[in-house]
Amino acid sequence: MHEELLTIGRFARLCRLSVKQLRHYDEIGLLAPVRVDPATGYRYYTADQARDALTIALLRELDLPLAVIGETLATAEPDVRAKILRSERDRLAARIRRDQGRLRMLTRVADGLPSYEVTLAREPARHLAVVRATCAAADVGKAVGECVGRLVGVLGAVGVGWTPPLWGLYPLDLEERVALAVGAEVVGAGGAGLGGVGLDGAGLGGAGLGGAGLGGAGLRGPGLDVEVLAGGVVLSVLHTGAYAELPLAYHALFAAVQERGLTARGPVREAYLVGPGDEVAVEEYRTRLVVAVESGEAVEPGGDGKWGLGRAPGRDGERGEGRAPGKGRVSDEDGEPGRGKAPGTGRAPGEGGERTA
């Protein structure tokens, strides 16, 4: 006895799909009819195909990509199918967290851009032990969390201490693929840091730091690298709040760069002063954003020792005494925001590798 063939219209009504969808699913190989009339091109289905068609309709309602749906239907192993769907669930959860962050940020912007105090200071040189990663722009938070785990793990394995905060280093221009690094200033024997006296012969790459110079036999690990941040003039801003709202602080920082006619130099730096490791609410996270600027474009210290900001020339061609948005208070000589709360434990952003708070 032959199984009854269903026309595409009848099958579409049975499975809550449109005729157009069924034709498309046939074209991409997701759900093929059991018979196509060679003379008319009409497609015919059987009732046995209804379960797969209904599954496709359900998963499309959940916004799963057709490629993932095809992968799900192609396996008869329940464990494999469950793994595929859990992976999509995790991606959806991450997207929802990002959207929630965008919603909070849009709410703040709708009430008016928050006021940030952008300051100009001379930043000391820093020598960091870093781990690097390259990822899609949407995966930066996850990559940062993984870098933190690798960095802290390697330094802990060789018994080398480091000084908070941890630093995130990012390119000046963000592309679809982002090359980033997470680093820390390492402390060696006698408290001598990487940027200390023994840099040439007993520090970076040498046998110093108590026999554990960076790059030497005592401090080796998979993917461990060195990043030297030259000292010089920087603009910086202190952000208090969730990491998802950092774009607001970046807006203020780079607006100051452009409005004053300065030229920024990468990498852009994020110092994680207070974060998840300090067991505080996300509203109390403190992140310092730093970007180096060409020193020749900044106004040198005046008689009071304070720095001014250069700005684009006026009509007379001369640079004025522009200053950053806000009160224009200058950072302390050590480059940290003046009288700010002391850095936290130095643990990096995000819990479980995410930077979504």
Side-chain angles (χ1 to χ4, degrees):
M1 180 177 179
H2 295 290
E3 189 171 6
E4 181 184 5
L5 295 181
L6 305 175
T7 64
I8 191 171
R10 186 177 171 190
F11 187 71
R13 289 191 295 272
L14 175 66
C15 302
R16 303 172 66 85
L17 290 168
S18 69
V19 170
K20 182 178 180 180
Q21 285 175 311
L22 286 173
R23 287 173 178 158
H24 179 59
Y25 297 161
D26 178 24
E27 291 168 356
I28 65 175
L30 181 60
L31 182 65
V34 295
R35 181 175 178 270
V36 178
D37 189 302
T40 64
Y42 290 171
R43 296 170 172 86
Y44 295 93
Y45 299 81
T46 66
D48 290 344
Q49 294 178 285
R51 180 174 290 276
D52 281 351
L54 288 167
T55 300
I56 294 171
L58 173 63
L59 296 181
R60 283 301 294 152
E61 182 68 22
L62 298 176
D63 204 27
L64 265 66
L66 290 175
V68 174
I69 295 175
E71 187 180 358
T72 304
L73 295 178
T75 179
E77 297 293 330
D79 291 345
V80 175
R81 180 173 292 190
K83 182 178 180 180
I84 295 171
L85 295 179
R86 289 192 189 105
S87 178
E88 288 303 308
R89 176 202 61 193
D90 293 343
R91 272 193 279 270
L92 176 60
R95 190 172 72 207
I96 290 172
R97 288 194 295 268
R98 289 194 298 270
D99 287 345
Q100 288 173 336
R102 294 186 182 108
L103 178 60
R104 289 193 297 268
M105 188 160 57
L106 183 57
T107 300
R108 290 189 63 180
V109 172
D111 294 334
L113 284 172
S115 176
Y116 283 94
E117 182 180 343
V118 181
T119 60
L120 186 74
R122 183 171 290 279
E123 186 86 353
R126 301 185 189 276
H127 297 76
L128 307 180
V130 302
V131 293
R132 304 183 188 277
T134 301
C135 65
D139 296 328
V140 166
K142 180 179 179 182
V144 169
E146 292 173 350
C147 284
V148 169
R150 287 165 47 203
L151 176 66
V152 175
V154 171
L155 295 180
V158 296
V160 175
W162 53 277
T163 302
L166 286 177
W167 292 81
L169 309 178
Y170 305 92
L172 198 59
D173 299 314
L174 293 180
E175 305 291 344
E176 290 186 3
R177 301 288 294 177
V178 180
L180 58 87
V182 173
E185 292 187 274
V186 175
V187 174
L194 285 177
V197 179
L199 183 59
D200 293 332
L204 196 58
L209 296 178
L214 187 56
L219 188 51
R220 291 185 182 275
L224 194 63
D225 202 354
V226 177
E227 180 82 20
V228 179
L229 302 177
V233 181
V234 302
L235 281 178
S236 69
V237 63
L238 184 64
H239 172 73
T240 300
Y243 295 129
E245 297 175 2
L246 277 172
L248 296 173
Y250 272 108
H251 176 275
L253 181 64
F254 282 100
V257 171
Q258 297 302 320
E259 289 170 0
R260 313 309 174 187
L262 302 175
T263 303
R265 291 188 290 108
V268 181
R269 315 165 197 178
E270 294 181 2
Y272 307 112
L273 307 179
V274 177
D278 300 284
E279 299 182 355
V280 298
V282 296
E283 293 79 11
E284 298 179 45
Y285 289 2
R286 290 161 59 87
T287 308
R288 180 174 175 248
L289 310 184
V290 182
V291 63
V293 296
E294 297 294 341
S295 59
E297 299 175 332
V299 178
E300 293 296 324
D304 58 0
K306 293 185 177 181
W307 292 78
L309 275 176
R311 67 177 180 182
R315 294 181 180 177
D316 58 0
E318 296 294 329
R319 289 187 181 272
E321 297 180 352
R323 65 181 193 176
K327 298 178 181 178
R329 178 172 54 81
V330 179
S331 296
D332 293 338
E333 293 181 358
D334 61 0
E336 297 296 334
R339 297 190 183 181
K341 183 177 178 181
T345 60
R347 285 186 55 188
E351 296 177 350
E354 290 296 332
R355 209 181 137 190
T356 56

